[in-house]
Coordinates of all heavy atoms in Angstrom, one line a residue:
M17 N -62.0 -2.7 -38.2 CA -61.1 -3.7 -38.4 C -60.1 -3.7 -37.2 O -59.6 -2.7 -36.8 CB -60.4 -3.6 -39.7 CG -59.5 -4.8 -39.9 SD -58.8 -4.6 -41.6 CE -57.8 -6.0 -41.7
E18 N -60.0 -4.9 -36.6 CA -59.1 -5.0 -35.4 C -57.7 -5.3 -35.8 O -57.4 -6.1 -36.7 CB -59.6 -6.2 -34.5 CG -58.9 -6.3 -33.2 CD -59.5 -7.4 -32.4 OE1 -60.7 -7.5 -32.4 OE2 -58.7 -8.2 -31.9
N19 N -56.7 -4.6 -35.2 CA -55.3 -4.8 -35.5 C -54.8 -5.8 -34.5 O -54.8 -5.7 -33.3 CB -54.5 -3.4 -35.3 CG -53.1 -3.6 -35.6 OD1 -52.6 -4.7 -35.9 ND2 -52.4 -2.5 -35.7
K20 N -54.3 -6.9 -35.1 CA -53.8 -8.1 -34.3 C -52.4 -8.0 -34.0 O -51.8 -8.9 -33.3 CB -54.2 -9.4 -34.9 CG -55.7 -9.6 -35.0 CD -56.0 -10.9 -35.6 CE -57.5 -11.1 -35.6 NZ -58.0 -12.4 -35.9
N21 N -51.7 -7.0 -34.5 CA -50.3 -6.8 -34.2 C -50.1 -6.1 -32.9 O -50.6 -5.1 -32.6 CB -49.6 -6.0 -35.3 CG -49.6 -6.7 -36.7 OD1 -49.6 -8.0 -36.7 ND2 -49.6 -6.0 -37.7
T22 N -49.3 -6.7 -32.1 CA -49.0 -6.2 -30.7 C -47.7 -5.5 -30.8 O -46.7 -6.0 -31.3 CB -49.0 -7.3 -29.7 OG1 -50.2 -7.9 -29.7 CG2 -48.7 -6.7 -28.3
L23 N -47.6 -4.3 -30.3 CA -46.4 -3.5 -30.2 C -45.8 -3.7 -28.8 O -46.5 -3.6 -27.8 CB -46.6 -2.0 -30.5 CG -47.1 -1.7 -31.9 CD1 -47.4 -0.2 -31.9 CD2 -46.1 -2.0 -32.9
F24 N -44.5 -3.9 -28.8 CA -43.8 -4.1 -27.5 C -42.8 -2.9 -27.4 O -42.1 -2.6 -28.3 CB -43.1 -5.4 -27.4 CG -44.0 -6.6 -27.4 CD1 -44.3 -7.3 -28.5 CD2 -44.5 -7.0 -26.1 CE1 -45.2 -8.4 -28.5 CE2 -45.3 -8.1 -26.1 CZ -45.7 -8.8 -27.2
F25 N -42.8 -2.3 -26.2 CA -41.9 -1.2 -26.0 C -41.0 -1.7 -24.9 O -41.4 -2.1 -23.8 CB -42.6 0.0 -25.6 CG -43.5 0.6 -26.7 CD1 -44.8 0.3 -26.8 CD2 -42.9 1.4 -27.6 CE1 -45.6 0.8 -27.8 CE2 -43.7 1.9 -28.6 CZ -45.0 1.7 -28.7
K26 N -39.7 -1.5 -25.1 CA -38.7 -1.8 -24.1 C -38.5 -0.5 -23.3 O -38.4 0.6 -23.8 CB -37.4 -2.2 -24.7 CG -37.4 -3.5 -25.4 CD -36.0 -3.8 -25.9 CE -36.0 -5.2 -26.6 NZ -34.7 -5.5 -27.1
P27 N -38.5 -0.7 -21.9 CA -38.2 0.6 -21.1 C -36.8 1.1 -21.4 O -35.9 0.3 -21.7 CB -38.3 0.0 -19.7 CG -38.2 -1.4 -19.8 CD -38.6 -1.9 -21.2
M28 N -36.7 2.4 -21.2 CA -35.4 3.0 -21.4 C -34.4 2.5 -20.3 O -34.9 2.5 -19.2 CB -35.5 4.5 -21.4 CG -36.2 5.1 -22.5 SD -35.4 4.9 -24.1 CE -34.0 6.0 -23.9
P29 N -33.2 2.1 -20.6 CA -32.3 1.6 -19.6 C -32.0 2.8 -18.7 O -31.9 4.0 -19.1 CB -31.1 1.2 -20.4 CG -31.2 1.8 -21.7 CD -32.6 2.1 -21.9
E30 N -31.8 2.5 -17.4 CA -31.4 3.5 -16.5 C -30.0 4.0 -16.8 O -29.2 3.3 -17.4 CB -31.3 2.9 -15.1 CG -32.7 2.6 -14.5 CD -32.5 2.1 -13.1 OE1 -31.6 2.5 -12.4 OE2 -33.4 1.3 -12.7
K31 N -29.8 5.3 -16.5 CA -28.5 5.9 -16.8 C -27.4 5.1 -16.2 O -26.3 5.0 -16.7 CB -28.5 7.4 -16.3 CG -27.4 8.2 -16.7 CD -27.6 9.6 -16.2 CE -26.7 10.6 -16.8 NZ -26.9 11.9 -16.3
G32 N -27.6 4.7 -14.9 CA -26.6 3.9 -14.2 C -26.2 2.6 -15.0 O -25.0 2.2 -14.9
N33 N -27.1 2.0 -15.6 CA -26.8 0.7 -16.3 C -25.9 1.0 -17.5 O -25.0 0.2 -17.8 CB -28.1 0.1 -16.8 CG -28.9 -0.5 -15.7 OD1 -28.4 -0.8 -14.6 ND2 -30.2 -0.7 -16.0
E34 N -26.1 2.1 -18.2 CA -25.3 2.4 -19.3 C -23.9 2.8 -18.8 O -22.9 2.4 -19.4 CB -25.9 3.6 -20.1 CG -25.0 4.0 -21.3 CD -25.5 5.3 -22.0 OE1 -26.4 5.9 -21.6 OE2 -24.9 5.6 -23.1
T35 N -23.8 3.6 -17.8 CA -22.6 4.0 -17.2 C -21.8 2.7 -16.7 O -20.6 2.6 -17.0 CB -22.8 4.9 -16.0 OG1 -23.5 6.1 -16.5 CG2 -21.4 5.4 -15.4
R36 N -22.5 1.8 -16.0 CA -21.8 0.6 -15.5 C -21.3 -0.2 -16.7 O -20.2 -0.7 -16.7 CB -22.9 -0.2 -14.8 CG -22.3 -1.4 -14.1 CD -23.3 -2.2 -13.2 NE -23.8 -1.3 -12.2 CZ -25.0 -0.9 -12.0 NH1 -26.0 -1.3 -12.8 NH2 -25.4 -0.2 -11.0
Q37 N -22.1 -0.3 -17.8 CA -21.7 -1.1 -18.9 C -20.4 -0.5 -19.6 O -19.5 -1.2 -19.9 CB -22.8 -1.2 -20.0 CG -22.5 -2.0 -21.2 CD -22.2 -3.4 -20.9 OE1 -22.9 -4.0 -20.1 NE2 -21.3 -4.0 -21.7
I38 N -20.4 0.8 -19.7 CA -19.2 1.5 -20.3 C -18.0 1.3 -19.4 O -16.9 1.0 -19.9 CB -19.5 3.0 -20.6 CG1 -20.5 3.1 -21.7 CG2 -18.2 3.7 -20.8 CD1 -21.0 4.5 -22.0
I39 N -18.1 1.5 -18.1 CA -17.0 1.2 -17.2 C -16.5 -0.2 -17.4 O -15.3 -0.4 -17.4 CB -17.4 1.5 -15.7 CG1 -17.7 3.0 -15.5 CG2 -16.3 1.1 -14.8 CD1 -18.4 3.3 -14.2
C40 N -17.3 -1.2 -17.4 CA -16.9 -2.6 -17.6 C -16.2 -2.8 -18.9 O -15.1 -3.5 -18.9 CB -18.1 -3.5 -17.5 SG -18.8 -3.6 -15.8
E41 N -16.7 -2.2 -20.0 CA -16.0 -2.4 -21.3 C -14.7 -1.7 -21.3 O -13.7 -2.2 -21.9 CB -16.9 -1.8 -22.4 CG -18.1 -2.7 -22.6 CD -19.1 -2.2 -23.7 OE1 -18.5 -1.6 -24.7 OE2 -20.3 -2.3 -23.6
V42 N -14.6 -0.5 -20.7 CA -13.3 0.2 -20.7 C -12.3 -0.5 -19.8 O -11.1 -0.7 -20.2 CB -13.5 1.7 -20.2 CG1 -12.2 2.4 -19.9 CG2 -14.3 2.5 -21.3
Y43 N -12.8 -1.0 -18.7 CA -11.9 -1.8 -17.8 C -11.3 -3.0 -18.5 O -10.1 -3.3 -18.4 CB -12.7 -2.2 -16.5 CG -11.9 -3.0 -15.5 CD1 -11.3 -2.4 -14.5 CD2 -11.9 -4.4 -15.6 CE1 -10.6 -3.1 -13.6 CE2 -11.2 -5.1 -14.7 CZ -10.5 -4.5 -13.7 OH -9.8 -5.2 -12.8
S44 N -12.2 -3.7 -19.2 CA -11.8 -4.9 -19.9 C -10.8 -4.6 -21.0 O -9.8 -5.3 -21.2 CB -13.0 -5.6 -20.6 OG -12.7 -6.7 -21.3
A45 N -11.0 -3.5 -21.8 CA -10.1 -3.1 -22.8 C -8.7 -2.7 -22.2 O -7.7 -3.1 -22.8 CB -10.6 -1.9 -23.6
L46 N -8.7 -2.0 -21.1 CA -7.4 -1.6 -20.5 C -6.7 -2.8 -20.0 O -5.5 -3.0 -20.2 CB -7.7 -0.7 -19.3 CG -8.1 0.8 -19.7 CD1 -8.7 1.5 -18.5 CD2 -6.9 1.5 -20.3
K47 N -7.4 -3.8 -19.4 CA -6.8 -5.0 -18.9 C -6.2 -5.8 -20.1 O -5.1 -6.3 -19.9 CB -7.8 -5.8 -18.1 CG -7.2 -6.8 -17.2 CD -8.2 -7.3 -16.2 CE -7.6 -8.3 -15.3 NZ -7.6 -8.0 -14.0
E48 N -7.0 -5.9 -21.1 CA -6.5 -6.7 -22.3 C -5.2 -6.1 -22.9 O -4.3 -6.9 -23.4 CB -7.6 -6.7 -23.4 CG -8.6 -7.7 -23.2 CD -9.6 -7.7 -24.4 OE1 -9.3 -7.4 -25.5 OE2 -10.8 -8.1 -24.1
K49 N -5.0 -4.8 -22.8 CA -3.8 -4.2 -23.4 C -2.7 -4.2 -22.3 O -1.6 -3.7 -22.7 CB -4.2 -2.8 -23.8 CG -5.0 -2.7 -25.0 CD -4.4 -3.3 -26.2 CE -3.3 -2.5 -26.9 NZ -2.8 -3.0 -28.1
G50 N -2.9 -4.7 -21.2 CA -1.9 -4.9 -20.2 C -1.7 -3.6 -19.3 O -0.7 -3.6 -18.5
Y51 N -2.6 -2.7 -19.3 CA -2.6 -1.6 -18.4 C -3.2 -1.9 -17.0 O -4.0 -2.9 -16.9 CB -3.4 -0.4 -19.0 CG -2.8 0.2 -20.3 CD1 -3.5 0.0 -21.5 CD2 -1.6 0.9 -20.3 CE1 -2.9 0.5 -22.7 CE2 -1.1 1.4 -21.5 CZ -1.8 1.2 -22.6 OH -1.3 1.7 -23.8
N52 N -2.9 -1.1 -16.0 CA -3.5 -1.2 -14.7 C -4.8 -0.4 -14.9 O -4.8 0.9 -14.9 CB -2.6 -0.6 -13.7 CG -3.3 -0.6 -12.3 OD1 -4.5 -0.5 -12.2 ND2 -2.5 -0.7 -11.3
P53 N -6.0 -1.0 -15.0 CA -7.2 -0.3 -15.3 C -7.6 0.7 -14.2 O -8.1 1.8 -14.5 CB -8.3 -1.4 -15.3 CG -7.5 -2.7 -15.6 CD -6.2 -2.5 -15.0
I54 N -7.3 0.4 -12.9 CA -7.7 1.3 -11.9 C -6.9 2.6 -12.0 O -7.4 3.7 -12.0 CB -7.5 0.7 -10.5 CG1 -8.3 -0.6 -10.3 CG2 -7.8 1.7 -9.4 CD1 -9.8 -0.5 -10.5
S55 N -5.6 2.4 -12.2 CA -4.7 3.6 -12.3 C -5.1 4.4 -13.5 O -5.1 5.7 -13.4 CB -3.2 3.1 -12.4 OG -2.4 4.2 -12.6
Q56 N -5.3 3.8 -14.6 CA -5.7 4.6 -15.8 C -7.0 5.3 -15.7 O -7.1 6.4 -16.1 CB -5.7 3.6 -17.0 CG -4.4 3.0 -17.4 CD -3.3 3.9 -17.6 OE1 -2.3 4.0 -16.8 NE2 -3.4 4.7 -18.7
L57 N -8.0 4.6 -15.1 CA -9.3 5.3 -14.9 C -9.2 6.4 -13.9 O -9.8 7.5 -14.1 CB -10.3 4.3 -14.4 CG -10.9 3.3 -15.5 CD1 -11.6 2.1 -14.9 CD2 -11.8 4.1 -16.4
V58 N -8.4 6.3 -12.8 CA -8.2 7.4 -11.9 C -7.5 8.5 -12.6 O -7.9 9.7 -12.4 CB -7.4 6.9 -10.7 CG1 -6.9 8.1 -9.8 CG2 -8.2 5.9 -9.8
G59 N -6.5 8.2 -13.4 CA -5.8 9.3 -14.1 C -6.8 10.1 -15.0 O -6.8 11.3 -15.1
Y60 N -7.7 9.3 -15.7 CA -8.7 10.0 -16.5 C -9.6 10.8 -15.7 O -9.9 12.0 -16.1 CB -9.5 8.9 -17.3 CG -10.7 9.6 -18.0 CD1 -10.5 10.5 -19.1 CD2 -11.9 9.3 -17.6 CE1 -11.6 11.1 -19.7 CE2 -13.0 9.9 -18.2 CZ -12.8 10.8 -19.2 OH -13.9 11.4 -19.8
V61 N -10.2 10.3 -14.6 CA -11.2 11.0 -13.8 C -10.5 12.3 -13.2 O -11.1 13.4 -13.2 CB -11.8 10.1 -12.7 CG1 -12.6 10.9 -11.8 CG2 -12.6 9.0 -13.4
V62 N -9.3 12.2 -12.7 CA -8.7 13.3 -12.1 C -8.3 14.4 -13.1 O -8.5 15.6 -12.9 CB -7.4 12.9 -11.3 CG1 -6.6 14.0 -10.8 CG2 -7.9 12.0 -10.1
S63 N -7.8 14.0 -14.2 CA -7.2 15.0 -15.2 C -8.2 15.4 -16.3 O -8.1 16.5 -16.8 CB -6.0 14.4 -15.8 OG -6.3 13.4 -16.7
G64 N -9.1 14.5 -16.6 CA -10.0 14.7 -17.7 C -9.4 14.4 -19.1 O -9.9 14.6 -20.1
D65 N -8.1 13.9 -19.0 CA -7.4 13.6 -20.3 C -7.7 12.2 -20.8 O -7.3 11.2 -20.2 CB -5.9 13.7 -20.0 CG -5.0 13.5 -21.2 OD1 -5.5 13.3 -22.3 OD2 -3.8 13.6 -21.0
P66 N -8.4 12.1 -21.9 CA -8.8 10.8 -22.4 C -7.7 9.9 -22.9 O -7.9 8.8 -23.1 CB -9.8 11.2 -23.6 CG -9.4 12.6 -24.0 CD -8.9 13.2 -22.7
T67 N -6.5 10.5 -23.0 CA -5.4 9.7 -23.5 C -4.9 8.6 -22.4 O -4.1 7.8 -22.7 CB -4.1 10.5 -23.9 OG1 -3.7 11.3 -22.8 CG2 -4.5 11.4 -25.1
Y68 N -5.5 8.8 -21.2 CA -5.3 7.7 -20.2 C -6.0 6.4 -20.6 O -5.7 5.4 -20.0 CB -5.8 8.2 -18.8 CG -4.8 9.0 -18.0 CD1 -4.9 10.4 -18.1 CD2 -3.8 8.4 -17.2 CE1 -4.0 11.2 -17.3 CE2 -3.0 9.2 -16.5 CZ -3.0 10.6 -16.6 OH -2.2 11.3 -15.8
I69 N -6.9 6.5 -21.5 CA -7.7 5.4 -21.9 C -7.3 4.9 -23.3 O -7.2 5.8 -24.2 CB -9.2 5.7 -21.8 CG1 -9.6 6.3 -20.5 CG2 -10.1 4.5 -22.2 CD1 -9.4 5.4 -19.3
T70 N -7.1 3.7 -23.4 CA -6.7 3.1 -24.7 C -7.8 3.2 -25.8 O -9.0 3.3 -25.4 CB -6.3 1.6 -24.5 OG1 -5.9 1.1 -25.8 CG2 -7.5 0.8 -24.0
N71 N -7.3 3.2 -27.0 CA -8.3 3.2 -28.1 C -8.8 1.8 -28.4 O -9.8 1.6 -29.1 CB -7.6 3.8 -29.4 CG -7.7 5.3 -29.5 OD1 -8.7 5.9 -29.1 ND2 -6.6 5.9 -29.9
H72 N -8.1 0.8 -27.8 CA -8.5 -0.6 -28.0 C -9.9 -0.8 -27.7 O -10.5 -0.3 -26.7 CB -7.6 -1.5 -27.1 CG -7.8 -2.9 -27.2 ND1 -7.6 -3.6 -28.3 CD2 -8.3 -3.8 -26.3 CE1 -7.9 -4.9 -28.1 NE2 -8.3 -5.0 -26.9
K73 N -10.6 -1.5 -28.6 CA -12.1 -1.8 -28.5 C -12.9 -0.5 -28.3 O -13.9 -0.5 -27.7 CB -12.3 -2.7 -27.4 CG -11.8 -4.1 -27.6 CD -12.4 -5.1 -26.6 CE -12.1 -6.5 -27.0 NZ -12.6 -7.5 -26.0
N74 N -12.4 0.6 -28.9 CA -13.2 1.9 -28.9 C -13.4 2.4 -27.4 O -14.3 3.2 -27.2 CB -14.5 1.7 -29.6 CG -14.9 2.9 -30.3 OD1 -14.1 3.7 -30.7 ND2 -16.2 3.0 -30.6
A75 N -12.5 2.0 -26.5 CA -12.7 2.4 -25.1 C -12.6 3.9 -24.9 O -13.4 4.4 -24.1 CB -11.7 1.7 -24.2
R76 N -11.8 4.6 -25.6 CA -11.6 6.0 -25.4 C -12.9 6.8 -25.8 O -13.4 7.7 -25.1 CB -10.4 6.6 -26.1 CG -10.1 8.0 -25.8 CD -8.9 8.5 -26.4 NE -7.7 7.8 -26.0 CZ -6.6 7.7 -26.7 NH1 -6.4 8.3 -27.8 NH2 -5.6 7.0 -26.2
V77 N -13.5 6.3 -26.9 CA -14.7 6.9 -27.4 C -15.8 6.7 -26.4 O -16.6 7.5 -26.0 CB -15.1 6.4 -28.8 CG1 -16.5 6.9 -29.2 CG2 -14.1 6.9 -29.8
L78 N -15.9 5.4 -25.9 CA -16.9 5.1 -24.9 C -16.8 5.9 -23.6 O -17.8 6.4 -23.2 CB -16.8 3.6 -24.5 CG -17.2 2.6 -25.6 CD1 -16.9 1.2 -25.1 CD2 -18.7 2.7 -25.9
I79 N -15.6 6.0 -23.1 CA -15.5 6.7 -21.8 C -15.8 8.2 -22.0 O -16.3 8.8 -21.0 CB -14.1 6.5 -21.2 CG1 -14.1 6.8 -19.7 CG2 -13.0 7.4 -21.9 CD1 -14.7 5.8 -18.8
T80 N -15.5 8.8 -23.1 CA -15.8 10.2 -23.3 C -17.3 10.5 -23.5 O -17.7 11.6 -23.5 CB -15.0 10.8 -24.5 OG1 -15.3 10.1 -25.7 CG2 -13.5 10.8 -24.1
K81 N -18.1 9.4 -23.7 CA -19.5 9.6 -23.8 C -20.1 9.9 -22.4 O -21.2 10.4 -22.3 CB -20.2 8.3 -24.3 CG -20.0 8.0 -25.8 CD -20.8 6.8 -26.2 CE -20.6 6.5 -27.6 NZ -21.4 5.3 -28.0
L82 N -19.4 9.6 -21.4 CA -19.8 9.8 -20.0 C -19.4 11.1 -19.5 O -18.2 11.5 -19.7 CB -19.3 8.7 -19.1 CG -19.7 7.2 -19.4 CD1 -19.0 6.3 -18.4 CD2 -21.2 7.1 -19.3
D83 N -20.2 11.8 -18.7 CA -19.8 12.9 -18.0 C -19.0 12.4 -16.8 O -19.4 11.4 -16.1 CB -21.1 13.7 -17.5 CG -20.8 14.9 -16.7 OD1 -19.8 15.6 -17.1 OD2 -21.4 15.1 -15.6
R84 N -17.9 13.0 -16.5 CA -17.0 12.5 -15.4 C -17.8 12.5 -14.0 O -17.5 11.7 -13.2 CB -15.7 13.3 -15.3 CG -14.8 12.9 -16.4 CD -13.4 13.5 -16.3 NE -13.5 15.0 -16.3 CZ -12.6 15.8 -15.6 NH1 -11.6 15.3 -15.0 NH2 -12.8 17.1 -15.7
D85 N -18.7 13.5 -13.8 CA -19.5 13.5 -12.6 C -20.3 12.2 -12.5 O -20.5 11.6 -11.4 CB -20.4 14.7 -12.5 CG -19.6 16.0 -12.3 OD1 -18.4 15.9 -11.8 OD2 -20.1 17.1 -12.6
D86 N -20.9 11.8 -13.6 CA -21.8 10.6 -13.6 C -20.9 9.4 -13.4 O -21.3 8.4 -12.7 CB -22.5 10.4 -15.0 CG -23.5 11.5 -15.2 OD1 -24.0 12.1 -14.2 OD2 -23.9 11.7 -16.4
L87 N -19.7 9.4 -13.9 CA -18.8 8.3 -13.7 C -18.4 8.2 -12.2 O -18.5 7.1 -11.6 CB -17.5 8.5 -14.5 CG -16.4 7.5 -14.5 CD1 -16.9 6.2 -15.0 CD2 -15.2 8.0 -15.4
L88 N -18.1 9.3 -11.6 CA -17.8 9.3 -10.2 C -19.0 8.9 -9.3 O -18.8 8.1 -8.4 CB -17.3 10.7 -9.7 CG -15.8 11.0 -10.0 CD1 -15.5 12.4 -9.7 CD2 -14.9 10.1 -9.2
E89 N -20.1 9.3 -9.7 CA -21.3 9.0 -9.0 C -21.6 7.5 -9.0 O -21.8 6.9 -7.9 CB -22.5 9.7 -9.6 CG -23.8 9.4 -8.9 CD -25.0 10.1 -9.5 OE1 -24.8 11.2 -10.1 OE2 -26.1 9.6 -9.4
E90 N -21.4 6.9 -10.2 CA -21.6 5.4 -10.3 C -20.6 4.6 -9.5 O -20.9 3.7 -8.8 CB -21.6 5.0 -11.7 CG -21.9 3.6 -12.0 CD -23.4 3.2 -11.7 OE1 -24.2 4.1 -11.7 OE2 -23.6 2.1 -11.5
I91 N -19.3 5.1 -9.5 CA -18.3 4.4 -8.8 C -18.5 4.5 -7.3 O -18.5 3.5 -6.6 CB -16.9 5.0 -9.1 CG1 -16.5 4.7 -10.6 CG2 -15.8 4.5 -8.2 CD1 -15.4 5.4 -11.2
F92 N -18.8 5.7 -6.8 CA -19.1 5.8 -5.3 C -20.4 5.0 -4.9 O -20.4 4.4 -3.9 CB -19.3 7.3 -5.0 CG -18.0 8.0 -4.6 CD1 -17.4 8.8 -5.5 CD2 -17.3 7.7 -3.4 CE1 -16.2 9.4 -5.2 CE2 -16.1 8.3 -3.1 CZ -15.5 9.2 -4.0
K93 N -21.4 5.1 -5.7 CA -22.6 4.4 -5.4 C -22.4 2.9 -5.2 O -22.8 2.3 -4.3 CB -23.7 4.7 -6.5 CG -25.0 4.0 -6.3 CD -25.9 4.3 -7.4 CE -26.5 3.0 -7.9 NZ -27.0 3.0 -9.2
N94 N -21.7 2.4 -6.2 CA -21.4 0.9 -6.1 C -20.5 0.6 -5.0 O -20.7 -0.5 -4.3 CB -20.8 0.4 -7.5 CG -21.9 0.2 -8.5 OD1 -22.7 -0.6 -8.4 ND2 -22.0 1.2 -9.5
Y95 N -19.5 1.4 -4.7 CA -18.6 1.1 -3.6 C -19.3 1.2 -2.3 O -19.2 0.3 -1.5 CB -17.4 2.2 -3.7 CG -16.5 2.0 -2.5 CD1 -15.6 0.9 -2.4 CD2 -16.5 2.9 -1.4 CE1 -14.8 0.8 -1.3 CE2 -15.7 2.8 -0.3 CZ -14.8 1.7 -0.3 OH -14.0 1.5 0.8
L96 N -20.1 2.2 -2.1 CA -20.8 2.4 -0.8 C -21.9 1.3 -0.6 O -22.1 0.8 0.5 CB -21.4 3.8 -0.7 CG -20.3 4.9 -0.6 CD1 -21.0 6.2 -0.7 CD2 -19.5 4.8 0.6
E97 N -22.5 0.9 -1.7 CA -23.5 -0.2 -1.6 C -22.8 -1.5 -1.2 O -23.3 -2.3 -0.5 CB -24.2 -0.4 -2.9 CG -25.3 0.7 -3.2 CD -25.9 0.6 -4.5 OE1 -25.6 -0.2 -5.3 OE2 -26.9 1.4 -4.8
S98 N -21.6 -1.7 -1.8 CA -20.9 -2.9 -1.4 C -20.5 -3.0 0.1 O -20.4 -4.0 0.7 CB -19.6 -3.1 -2.3 OG -18.6 -2.2 -1.9
L99 N -20.2 -1.8 0.6 CA -19.9 -1.7 2.1 C -21.1 -2.0 2.9 O -21.0 -2.7 4.0 CB -19.4 -0.3 2.4 CG -18.0 0.1 1.9 CD1 -17.7 1.5 2.3 CD2 -16.9 -0.8 2.3
E100 N -22.2 -1.6 2.5 CA -23.5 -1.9 3.2 C -23.8 -3.4 3.2 O -24.4 -3.9 4.1 CB -24.7 -1.1 2.6 CG -24.6 0.4 2.8 CD -25.8 1.1 2.1 OE1 -26.5 0.5 1.3 OE2 -25.9 2.3 2.4
N101 N -23.4 -4.1 2.2 CA -23.7 -5.5 2.0 C -22.7 -6.4 2.7 O -22.8 -7.6 2.6 CB -23.8 -5.9 0.5 CG -25.0 -5.2 -0.1 OD1 -26.0 -5.0 0.5 ND2 -24.9 -4.8 -1.4
E102 N -21.7 -5.8 3.3 CA -20.7 -6.6 4.0 C -21.2 -7.2 5.3 O -22.0 -6.6 6.0 CB -19.4 -5.8 4.2 CG -18.6 -5.6 3.0 CD -17.3 -4.9 3.2 OE1 -17.0 -4.4 4.3 OE2 -16.5 -4.8 2.3

């Protein structure tokens, strides 16, 4: 008997895509609460202290899902790629 149901598999998202999405969500939450997102994110990356990130929209939980090295890698990668495209 032939099975006519087709299974579809979605590829696993790249690690960078998840990192980028989390950065965007955290940035947005910080901005909504009236914080300077760049300053707060730098404070978090330098110190490792998650209290630099607001709890608004679960941003603190999201940012702590990322390894700070992965966060820095994504930031530098995007910054350097933007320089190449100028």
Side-chain angles (χ1 to χ4, degrees):
M17 183 171 180
E18 187 177 316
N19 184 352
K20 294 184 180 189
N21 295 328
T22 303
L23 297 175
F24 292 94
F25 294 95
K26 291 183 179 179
M28 293 294 291
E30 290 182 29
K31 190 178 194 179
N33 289 340
E34 179 184 8
T35 302
R36 185 177 298 118
Q37 181 65 34
I38 289 173
I39 293 169
C40 289
E41 289 179 34
V42 169
Y43 180 91
S44 176
L46 288 164
K47 197 164 181 122
E48 279 183 26
K49 290 300 282 183
Y51 295 110
N52 177 330
I54 302 301
S55 176
Q56 296 304 113
L57 285 164
V58 168
Y60 169 69
V61 170
V62 170
S63 71
D65 183 358
T67 60
Y68 276 95
I69 307 302
T70 181
N71 277 321
H72 181 63
K73 290 191 170 181
N74 215 25
R76 189 175 298 160
V77 171
L78 288 173
I79 201 76
T80 58
K81 287 182 178 182
L82 300 177
D83 180 43
R84 285 188 300 151
D85 290 338
D86 292 339
L87 181 60
L88 280 171
E89 181 181 331
E90 186 66 22
I91 291 167
F92 272 106
K93 182 179 126 199
N94 282 289
Y95 176 73
L96 294 172
E97 285 174 358
S98 75
L99 291 178
E100 290 178 351
N101 294 327
E102 285 184 352

